[in-house]
Amino acid sequence: ELLVSGLSFTFGFSLEECQRITDLGISSLAEGCPDIHTLRLAYCKGITDLSLQVLSEACPLMISVDLSYCLSLSLTGTTLT
């Protein structure tokens, strides 16, 4: 379980190559830190389109998300606005 409440000052995170991160972890991060501007998720094999949906809804200030080699994502998920 990821505890992220009270981190609204945070502007970016790198979770690159975190093999154990899942949609639940991304959901906790997004809901606890809605002011995130950048997020690096390269090589995170456990995230799916659900993570992108949550990020797009919970983090309105998001500018950049690195999804390189996130193999569980579909083309539909990467075109969310």
Side-chain angles (χ1 to χ4, degrees):
E1 183 175 331
L2 182 63
L3 298 177
V4 294
S5 63
L7 294 178
S8 62
F9 61 86
T10 305
F11 296 108
F13 280 103
S14 178
L15 299 173
E16 188 171 355
E17 296 187 44
C18 290
Q19 299 297 313
R20 296 180 64 186
I21 193 79
T22 64
D23 292 331
L24 181 60
I26 296 299
S27 179
S28 295
L29 178 68
E31 291 171 10
C33 302
D35 295 336
I36 296 172
H37 291 190
T38 61
L39 186 58
R40 296 191 62 175
L41 297 173
Y43 298 96
C44 293
K45 297 176 183 177
I47 63 166
T48 69
D49 293 348
L50 179 60
S51 288
L52 301 183
Q53 182 68 39
V54 169
L55 287 169
S56 70
E57 293 172 0
C59 302
L61 302 177
M62 186 70 71
I63 297 169
S64 174
V65 180
D66 180 0
L67 301 171
S68 304
Y69 301 99
C70 293
L71 304 177
S72 297
L73 298 175
S74 71
L75 289 177
T76 302
T78 58
T79 59
L80 293 172
T81 57

